[in-house]
Amino acid sequence: MTNGNVAAEREKVFIFDTTLRDGEQSPGASMNMQEKFRLAQQLVKLQVDVIEAGFPVASVGDFDCVKNIADNITGVQVAALARANQKDIDTAWEALKKGDNPRIHTFLATSDIHLQHKLRMSREQMLELAVASVRHAAKYTANVEFSAEDASRSDLDFVCRVFEAVIAAGATTVNFPDTTGYALPDEFGAKIAYLMENTANIHKAVVSVHCHNDLGLAVANSLAAIKAGARQVEATINGLGERAGNTAMEEVVMALRTRADQINVRTDIVTEYIHASSRMVSSITGIMVQPNKAIVGANAFAHESGIHQDGMLKERTTYEIMNPCDIGLTSGNLVLGKHSGRHALKERVKTLGYDNLTDEELNRVFHRFKGLADVKKEMFDEDLEAILLDEIVRIPETYQLLSLGAMSGNKTMPTSAVKLLVEGKEVQDAGLGVGPIDSAFRTIAKLTGTTSKLLYFAVSSITGGTDAQGEVMVRVEDEGKIVIGQGADPDIITASAKAYLNALNRLVYLKKERISKG
Ligand code: KIV
Ligand code: ZN
């Protein structure tokens, strides 16, 4: 779809997606099993080469998510993370074993800082443990990755020794992480070049990099590494991840595609799915990208100044180095109207990444779509995405909104009347607040008996115009667990109530999950 014949001749850079593992380590980004599975399906459509699905030994929930993906997703390598010990590796394998060419990804730090202060072991002990772990993993699968954690701050000759030994022990990919996001591009590229020159058997493995973004250089460092010979990049959608995040996959992929004149490599990523994937990650995690974010920010292809607009009208390439269509951006185009039929909807839904909906799911989406199209003049992809997320990537609804009436104004005491279905039983109440949203939230809190605390509330408009849908995101905390909730509706008070209830439903779901897993 994206790459022509010339591209096929270029050397390939493998894309290892770690949105579900390192991305999920981003504070507040936890995803449930269903959400992870949905995202994994989307990653397959994007044609990533490897999906790192989780860290199975970390929790029963993580184990189950990895197993679910390995058991049911085909056409991609599924990887699982394991520290360098037998228990982690055995657990990773147990979760992965039914997958297509599954990969065990084991790691151990090589830097003196980590060896002395965290691991309390000598370099020789580290080397021995790394080799033993890779050997153990290689008994299960021929697809073993070894990561030298904090490699960029390690003695480079020592990393070369470790890589040589682990490759001899069976590692087929060796990964050089910039764990703390400390490296600078020239320096990082030079380190990879040194590694390629000074590790005797390096040609027997794929050299990978994994960059964090603490100095905002993760993408630049990854590109420098590719120039120096690295052929796998570990990345996440939207750059999600610990602290300042990981390498943003969409940025690396589009940089390689746009500047193939400078870096003569290709990826297999179907770039037309980038926009939908970015939206899906934002919606699932509740972590939105900033408007000026490269490639997927709302303004990434917006031209505000008159001079730019004039240039664009005369010739798009005056101010645009990429075609928005290449990332699947159709925003601004009216996609469907109220007279559109089920078939047209099904086709549109497919392009947004939801191509295996059941008839029942499609019916639900169609019903919601028609309802919205009746009150909203124009329907855009973003409207449809909001419905899909609500209807498809949904969690069980312990609390369901049946009706909401709100009264407000500059001379009125804001009041809300709320009717909910709580586990099959109708309950209702009314209450006051400082504004209509506050009164709705207070009434919902009373009806559900929640003890949670609202940490964050944000409302935005999905598309332009006063008839646009309002999209609300809330972050709610209960007993140390933080969840997000989302809701969309042309009425922002209803959207807010939906978002709040979505968060409360997630809390109930989390509690039930924890109880059932002991
Ligand atoms: O940042 C890091 O070093 C990691 C490793 C586990 C690859 O995430
Ligand atoms: Zn990392």
Side-chain angles (χ1 to χ4, degrees):
M1 204 159 165
T2 56
N3 301 316
N5 288 340
V6 182
E9 284 158 21
R10 294 189 195 118
E11 231 185 292
K12 171 169 164 162
V13 170
F14 293 91
I15 299 294
F16 176 108
D17 184 278
T18 184
T19 310
L20 298 175
R21 197 278 297 170
D22 220 342
E24 209 212 11
Q25 286 172 220
S26 183
S30 62
M31 305 173 223
N32 65 40
M33 183 138 120
Q34 199 201 354
E35 291 165 338
K36 283 192 175 176
F37 190 75
R38 172 68 54 187
L39 203 48
Q41 287 179 315
Q42 183 69 8
L43 293 171
V44 172
K45 291 184 67 176
L46 268 171
Q47 284 187 27
V48 305
D49 299 286
V50 186
I51 296 175
E52 186 165 50
F55 187 11
V57 86
S59 70
V60 181
D62 240 37
F63 180 95
D64 290 345
C65 288
V66 175
K67 183 164 164 45
N68 185 35
I69 290 170
D71 287 0
N72 297 299
I73 295 241
T74 52
V76 68
Q77 297 171 47
V78 179
L81 189 67
R83 285 167 300 189
N85 66 60
Q86 291 214 354
K87 181 174 175 228
D88 276 34
I89 293 168
D90 293 344
T91 311
W93 181 248
E94 208 38 50
L96 283 175
K97 65 186 179 194
K98 295 212 183 109
D100 266 359
N101 189 13
R103 175 179 299 191
I104 298 177
H105 176 195
T106 187
F107 72 101
L108 192 59
T110 42
S111 68
D112 290 335
I113 304 179
H114 279 235
L115 288 173
Q116 282 165 23
H117 302 293
K118 185 181 82 175
L119 299 171
R120 295 176 205 279
M121 61 171 73
S122 66
R123 287 188 184 181
E124 295 312 311
Q125 286 170 318
M126 180 278 156
L127 184 63
E128 216 174 281
L129 188 53
V131 167
S133 302
V134 167
R135 212 169 265 143
H136 186 63
K139 283 190 212 146
Y140 291 127
T141 171
N143 190 353
V144 178
E145 172 168 335
F146 176 78
S147 283
E149 193 188 11
D150 204 21
S152 59
R153 294 192 301 165
S154 304
D155 177 81
L156 208 45
D157 287 320
F158 180 57
V159 179
C160 292
R161 254 184 86 202
V162 171
F163 278 2
E164 189 172 335
V166 295
I167 293 170
T172 43
T173 301
V174 283
N175 184 34
F176 190 92
D178 182 24
T179 304
T180 55
Y182 177 73
L184 300 179
D186 286 353
E187 175 199 27
F188 196 65
K191 282 181 195 280
I192 300 300
Y194 186 89
L195 204 74
M196 310 292 297
E197 287 272 301
N198 294 284
T199 310
N201 52 3
I202 199 76
H203 57 282
K204 292 192 178 156
V206 173
V207 174
S208 168
V209 287
H210 173 114
C211 298
H212 280 269
N213 204 32
D214 299 64
L215 294 173
L217 293 169
V219 171
N221 286 336
S222 302
L223 293 174
I226 293 169
K227 271 190 150 180
R231 287 296 175 265
Q232 176 178 281
V233 168
E234 304 198 352
T236 60
I237 309 252
N238 295 345
L240 198 67
E242 287 255 9
R243 307 184 310 276
N246 288 60
T247 300
M249 190 239 269
E250 63 281 1
E251 293 181 24
V252 171
V253 167
M254 289 312 287
L256 291 178
R257 183 186 156 119
T258 309
R259 297 312 308 273
D261 59 318
Q262 290 292 313
I263 314 179
N264 192 26
V265 295
R266 70 181 168 90
T267 72
D268 281 347
I269 296 298
V270 182
T271 60
E272 285 79 358
Y273 289 124
I274 284 179
H275 175 67
S277 309
S278 164
R279 288 278 309 176
M280 193 182 272
V281 169
S282 288
S283 310
I284 288 176
T285 60
I287 299 174
M288 302 294 154
V289 297
Q290 85 236 29
N292 58 325
K293 155 111 174 52
I295 317 294
V296 291
N299 296 342
F301 292 92
H303 302 275
E304 192 76 16
S305 96
I307 297 173
H308 288 206
Q309 286 176 354
D310 179 57
M312 285 286 295
L313 289 173
K314 288 177 176 144
E315 166 55 43
R316 186 187 62 77
T317 54
T318 50
Y319 285 103
E320 234 167 46
I321 57 164
M322 294 167 276
N323 191 331
C325 301
D326 292 345
I327 63 151
L329 201 64
T330 55
S331 182
N333 297 334
L334 199 58
V335 288
L336 293 166
K338 75 186 224 180
H339 301 297
S340 303
R342 197 179 300 261
H343 182 71
L345 181 82
K346 188 174 177 181
E347 289 310 304
R348 195 67 221 152
V349 157
K350 270 191 196 170
T351 66
L352 295 178
Y354 296 79
D355 48 0
N356 28 27
L357 297 192
T358 62
D359 285 346
E360 196 267 326
E361 285 172 331
L362 189 70
N363 277 345
R364 282 207 317 260
V365 173
F366 188 65
H367 182 72
R368 283 278 302 272
F369 167 78
K370 284 284 176 193
L372 185 60
D374 272 343
V375 292
K376 195 173 181 295
K377 283 198 297 287
E378 300 174 323
M379 293 287 283
F380 298 95
D381 275 348
E382 288 84 346
D383 294 311
L384 204 47
E385 274 171 350
I387 294 175
L388 283 161
L389 284 161
D390 218 25
E391 287 295 330
I392 308 303
V393 188
R394 56 162 36 188
I395 45 143
E397 286 189 302
T398 308
Y399 310 118
Q400 219 179 317
L401 183 68
L402 291 181
S403 69
L404 168 70
M407 221 167 56
S408 69
N410 63 348
K411 296 269 190 296
T412 316
M413 206 52 168
T415 316
S416 292
V418 181
K419 193 192 279 187
L420 300 182
L421 195 63
V422 181
E423 291 180 302
K425 197 167 147 242
E426 273 187 29
V427 292
Q428 58 183 321
D429 208 340
L432 304 172
V434 289
I437 294 173
D438 185 50
S439 65
F441 277 32
R442 283 172 188 271
T443 312
I444 290 172
K446 204 162 137 202
L447 285 170
T448 56
T450 182
T451 52
S452 62
K453 228 169 70 194
L454 181 70
L455 302 178
Y456 179 79
F457 172 90
V459 59
S460 56
S461 157
I462 293 185
T463 56
T466 49
D467 68 343
Q469 286 200 84
E471 188 175 41
V472 174
M473 208 271 279
V474 295
R475 199 169 278 142
V476 169
E477 192 241 302
D478 196 23
E479 294 172 8
K481 267 274 163 229
I482 296 177
V483 295
I484 56 115
Q486 285 137 321
D489 199 275
D491 175 73
I492 57 161
I493 302 164
T494 307
S496 306
K498 281 183 181 173
Y500 188 35
L501 287 166
N502 182 242
L504 298 183
N505 281 325
R506 278 171 192 270
L507 281 173
V508 173
Y509 184 69
L510 264 184
K511 259 186 208 159
K512 280 188 185 154
E513 232 183 15
R514 259 185 288 170
I515 291 166
S516 75
K517 284 169 187 158

